Amino acid sequence: MTTVVRVPEQNRLMVSVKGAPDILLERCVKYVANEEEIEMTEEIRRSVSEDVIKRFSKLGYRTILLASKLIDPDNFSPLKYKAEEQIYNMESELTLLAIIGIEDPLRDGVKAAVEICQRAGVTVRMVTGDDIDYARSIGIKAGILNEAEIDFTNKEAYKPYACMLGSDFENIVGGMREDDGKMVVANLKKFNEIVKDLKVLARSQPEQKYMLVAGLKEDPNNVVAVTGDGTNDAPALKKADVGLAMGVSGTEIAKEAADIILLDDNFASVVTAIRWGRNIFLSIRKFLQFQMTVNIVALFLAFITGLFLGESALNSVQMLWVNLIMDTFAALSLATESPSDKLLRDPPHSKTESIFTYPMFKSIAWQSIYQIIILLIMTFGVPMMFDLPTKSHVDAWTYENGVHLTMVFQTFVFLQVFNLLNCRCLKDDELNVFEGVHKNWVFIFIVVLIVSVQFVLVEFGGVVVKCSPLTSTQHLACILLGAGSLVVCLISKTAPRRFKNCFKTVNVHIKM
């Protein structure tokens, strides 16, 4: 930044400049020492660079150089200095006044947040306009870089592209070129070779940040998130899959270009965004697993009983209640789980990943088969086992002949209630489906509500719902058969994975 002020005592103008030392030091021809201006030699310039600027940067101080010069007011006109060359001339032949080291410590929790991101499979890269020494120091402090990666004497761990200048990065990959009306990285092969190791990009321009984002997005397996606060960051924020703007220091243009705004300007909030994003995706999977199971079973039961009994085992009122359970109540109960830290131990989801996983497919198959078998036994075997009268489609409903199908209805609902618990845990290694359930009061409330309403419908629904009151033994039998789905869930998760190769991935994608 350059400021021009009048010095009345000398009838001259003072040009005061502040900026990056690695750029302005080359433009200084003198320096002030003991209130005298001394000629700047190459040896002094080299000493200032090594002993002051680099030492400050390695200590984690952001450095700013202050310089000035006096000019003749007759040769100065604000309108004159518009071209880049003219501005350069005004900011040349300066006198070095001071080099200031400003301590800008990391926020609390940033290093821990970086470690969490790395454990979660997220590659954290720092793109900054600061000089390379300062950027390297901050990268090490934040845990983005480790010293072995930039130690060229360590042949095993050294990575030449771990920390580099934005200009070098652009020169090596050849910048951007137009391809079919779209801007792409000129040398994608070299780009992929660099980004494999790249951790810190220093003295980066907005165009180089955009190029990095565009190149990473060329790989369909990459999900690219970018943080930024300035107007110049807007193109990169918009190009990224997820743009995160700073809510406090960010400009309005950056906020408009972003998808998420971090209200506290803290990188640690990125971890929260990752945790909740993964939790939403997991909730969708839980709901789909439950939905697929209950729909398969309900469709099969309606078809078979309609074929052999002349009417569906579940009447229209009962089906409406079942529909309420499997849609509204299931969505509320499974989508209100708070995100756990376990989500951050999983690898990221790629954009091409199927929404259905093998454990989900296995659970749907096992639960559907078990529920269909139980409901067929209840439909065609219970009358003989419990010596109950049966009702054909031509008979009028009575409390006596309605007990049979009421037990079928009761069993069907309890199968879904216990399967709700199963759907809380989708992975094969999550055997305890009750883990953490006490923390989700919405889930508990909905389960209690379903069970309570179900008992009211069975005991008092009568002719409206076509439900006959059941004995304690009959209620217990229905509940135990429903609870059997917990055992089936345990078996399905511990069963051999020999059929995994038969599973065809269903490429269903959800855009959010």
Side-chain angles (χ1 to χ4, degrees), residues 146-160:
N146 65 64
E147 295 189 14
E149 292 174 325
I150 55 176
D151 182 6
F152 64 90
T153 61
N154 189 335
K155 294 183 179 180
E156 293 183 359
Y158 176 64
K159 296 177 180 178

Side-chain angles (χ1 to χ4, degrees), residues 22 60 177 182 203 244 257 267 283 309 397 416 428 433 455 477 487 495 497:
D22 52 331
R177 63 178 176 84
K182 184 176 74 169
R203 281 283 179 253
L244 300 104
F267 180 79
S283 297
L309 300 181
W397 180 88
Q416 310 321 317
D428 283 344
V433 297
F455 272 104
V487 179
R497 299 169 65 87

Side-chain angles (χ1 to χ4, degrees), residues 299-371:
L299 179 63
F300 189 88
L301 180 65
F303 176 76
I304 293 297
T305 54
L307 188 65
F308 289 97
L309 300 181
E311 63 178 350
S312 173
L314 304 178
N315 60 54
S316 56
V317 177
Q318 293 169 356
M319 282 300 295
L320 286 171
W321 167 238
V322 169
N323 188 66
L324 190 62
I325 293 173
M326 70 185 194
D327 287 339
T328 307
F329 289 155
L332 286 173
S333 59
L334 295 174
T336 51
E337 291 274 356
S338 297
S340 66
D341 290 336
K342 289 194 299 183
L343 293 170
L344 298 175
R345 294 197 289 268
D346 296 335
H349 303 291
S350 72
K351 288 183 283 189
T352 58
E353 182 179 340
S354 169
I355 200 166
F356 284 99
T357 62
Y358 175 68
M360 288 174 64
F361 167 79
K362 191 168 58 169
S363 175
I364 292 168
W366 278 78
Q367 290 294 335
S368 298
I369 292 169
Y370 170 74
Q371 292 188 23

